[in-house]
Amino acid sequence: PVVYVKAGHLFDATSDNLRDNVVLTVEGERITKIVPAAEVSIPAGAKVVDLSQDWVLPGLIDCHVHLESRADEYNPINEVRMTPFKGAFNGVVNAKATLMAGFTSVRDVGSQPFFAVDLRNAINSGLIPGPRVVASGPPISITGGHGDMNGFAPAVSNWMYPAEKDFQIADGPDEVRRVVREQVKYGVDVIKILATGGVLSAGDKPGAEQFTYEELKVAADEAHRAGRKIAAHAHGTQGIKDAVRAGIDSIEHGSLIDDEGIQLMKEHGTYLDADIYNDDYILQEAPKFGLPQEMVDKEKSVGRLQRENFAKAVKAGVKITFGTDAGVYPHGDNAKQFHYMVKFGMTPAGAIHAATSSAADLIDRSKDVGTLEAGKYADLIAVTSNPLDKIETLEHVSFVMKGGKVYKDEVGAEKQ
Ligand code: ARG
């Protein structure tokens, strides 16, 4: 059966323009045609989704989430209380919140081994509702780095999390190569590596390099050999450049990037995936549930600079995607980042491309998602006012369809 989706205003993300009064025909999971409304005669009794008063866009894509994490527990001490079961319950709830916010695809860039892989499979098999998940394994870290358990007695940290040693911690090119291969073996879609220190980790510095250029190069080559993309967490100036030169596909955070780093990203076509909403939540909310002062101080050292440097990168023409680090702040609030992307230099259409067409390119799913065209998945959302006039409109998505199935319909669009 064909579903006729009437769109009053369509932003299909193949350009910056809106098209008025079109009809998308959906058969099964995919779009089969998009035509001017005047040219279709909808057969009597056909299934219609009437969004003729609304603005219709491709389902949004967040390229940086952690679906197992809860914002109100995002405190490293809680990692020692985290069981895989707890993470899984969180993931079920977070996946649904993400989908209901209009994000029909996400890239999960770090969780316990191999949570995101299982969550992806559970969603794909129809067991639970959620976005399409492009899954990484645990983020690969040096010993003592952003992904290690720091600040505990040796006996405690060795005993606590044995899998960490096998699947996450790597020192030297050979171990990096082995860990990438292990992760591929257990079904990840993407590799996440921690090139520099971080904010929400004990005992390291966001600006400091962690993996060497040689290690990053091995990771990138090995990921690419396996047909996977690779993302690097990198706040620090030098670590960003090493990661870009090593052939990493996206720089996460990018906080302390300098002009040379910006030029390198342009030359290599590397995406910047900067979580520029995060700072608000970390400074305003996280201290209320006990985020250690060390981390609040680290946030203050990067947060504002990250936004200014993001603006420079946008101005210079670096390729930008939408990645928020949801899990540090509550899942479902992802779209709050659009406001900052526009405030710091993007056009509304540009910010939407970052979360649709460009994001699809980064996650290597352009043939399926990211634009609304015949042949793509019927992943689409609707809002009741024009997001090109006011980007914050996307914080209130009233309709969500994923793969031709309606998950949210606050406007009564679905007619029988
Ligand atoms: N996961 C990141 C880290 O711990 C969060 C950084 C958040 N701060 C920011 N300004 N984006 O390093």
Side-chain angles (χ1 to χ4, degrees):
V2 182
V3 179
Y4 294 84
V5 181
K6 295 182 182 175
H9 315 274
L10 179 73
F11 185 91
D12 64 16
T14 64
S15 74
D16 285 0
N17 304 324
L18 284 171
R19 287 157 70 189
D20 289 341
N21 299 317
V22 296
V23 172
L24 302 87
T25 59
V26 175
E27 292 176 54
E29 295 189 305
R30 296 196 185 250
I31 299 166
T32 45
K33 263 188 288 181
I34 304 182
V35 281
E39 290 173 22
V40 242
S41 59
I42 299 178
K47 191 165 175 200
V48 172
V49 170
D50 186 359
L51 297 166
S52 56
Q53 305 307 309
D54 305 282
W55 279 258
V56 175
L57 301 91
L60 302 171
I61 304 171
D62 191 331
C63 299
H64 191 131
V65 304
H66 301 280
L67 286 167
E68 83 172 347
S69 306
R70 282 177 55 143
D72 58 357
E73 292 179 347
Y74 209 97
N75 177 345
I77 191 72
N78 279 326
E79 280 189 50
V80 305
R81 302 181 179 126
M82 187 75 171
T83 65
F85 312 106
K86 196 165 183 234
F89 289 128
N90 291 347
V92 170
V93 173
N94 294 337
K96 188 169 180 195
T98 303
L99 180 63
M100 292 306 159
F103 287 79
T104 53
S105 299
V106 298
R107 187 177 64 161
D108 189 301
V109 284
S111 56
Q112 298 201 34
F114 281 89
F115 161 82
V117 169
D118 286 330
L119 182 65
R120 174 196 72 198
N121 296 346
I123 293 169
N124 287 349
S125 70
L127 187 65
I128 54 167
R132 302 177 195 283
V133 176
V134 169
S136 86
I140 304 173
S141 173
I142 63 164
T143 293
H146 180 53
D148 203 351
M149 293 280 204
N150 305 321
F152 298 96
V156 178
S157 41
N158 282 334
W159 157 83
M160 220 161 33
Y161 195 2
E164 190 169 73
K165 288 268 179 281
D166 293 337
F167 301 123
Q168 180 162 21
I169 304 299
D171 295 298
D174 288 346
E175 281 189 33
V176 170
R177 186 179 293 109
R178 182 188 56 76
V179 170
V180 172
R181 287 177 181 172
E182 298 267 13
Q183 294 200 358
V184 170
K185 170 178 167 177
Y186 292 108
V188 304
D189 301 303
V190 62
I191 300 295
K192 166 83 177 296
I193 191 160
L194 304 170
T196 74
V199 172
L200 302 173
S201 43
D204 68 340
K205 296 196 170 61
E209 291 162 76
Q210 293 195 340
F211 281 111
T212 63
Y213 167 78
E214 286 70 27
E215 290 167 319
L216 294 168
K217 178 86 170 77
V218 164
D221 289 348
E222 199 58 38
H224 291 153
R225 199 171 286 133
R228 271 40 172 206
K229 300 258 186 175
I230 176 166
H233 159 108
H235 291 287
T237 313
Q238 187 57 40
I240 292 170
K241 293 180 202 174
D242 286 347
V244 173
R245 286 199 189 96
I248 300 274
D249 300 292
S250 66
I251 297 298
E252 309 302 306
H253 313 297
S255 309
L256 306 176
I257 193 168
D258 65 4
D259 291 343
E260 190 190 6
I262 286 174
Q263 279 318 310
L264 277 171
M265 288 189 77
K266 284 188 67 177
E267 278 163 34
H268 288 255
T270 318
Y271 277 107
L272 177 61
D273 196 37
D275 55 331
I276 58 173
Y277 164 64
N278 237 345
D279 182 66
D280 283 14
Y281 188 86
I282 295 173
L283 295 183
Q284 286 159 31
E285 303 300 325
K288 295 182 196 161
F289 52 83
L291 189 75
Q293 190 59 38
E294 175 195 357
M295 289 158 209
V296 175
D297 290 341
K298 287 205 272 182
E299 180 55 38
K300 286 182 181 157
S301 75
V302 297
R304 298 297 142 137
L305 284 171
Q306 183 190 29
R307 291 175 178 182
E308 287 163 23
N309 291 333
F310 174 83
K312 285 187 197 163
V314 168
K315 200 163 175 204
V318 170
K319 286 162 49 178
I320 306 288
T321 45
F322 185 95
T324 65
D325 216 353
V328 169
Y329 72 87
H331 293 273
D333 283 356
N334 312 56
K336 287 188 175 174
Q337 183 169 291
F338 283 113
H339 167 80
Y340 288 101
M341 293 176 84
V342 171
K343 183 170 175 188
F344 287 89
M346 298 188 88
T347 61
I352 297 170
H353 281 295
T356 55
S357 52
S358 302
D361 181 40
L362 174 60
I363 65 173
D364 218 6
R365 295 290 188 276
S366 290
K367 72 176 196 348
D368 290 325
V369 300
T371 59
L372 295 174
E373 294 175 274
K376 305 261 170 127
Y377 282 131
D379 289 5
L380 56 91
I381 61 166
V383 285
T384 55
S385 58
N386 187 353
L388 300 181
D389 291 340
K390 189 168 183 274
I391 195 72
E392 294 80 5
T393 301
L394 294 174
E395 294 173 20
H396 308 283
V397 167
S398 46
F399 179 90
V400 179
M401 174 185 277
K402 182 193 145 207
K405 189 172 167 201
V406 177
Y407 287 88
K408 184 181 193 180
D409 183 8
E410 290 179 352
V411 285
E414 244 186 323
K415 312 271 190 257
Q416 215 24 271

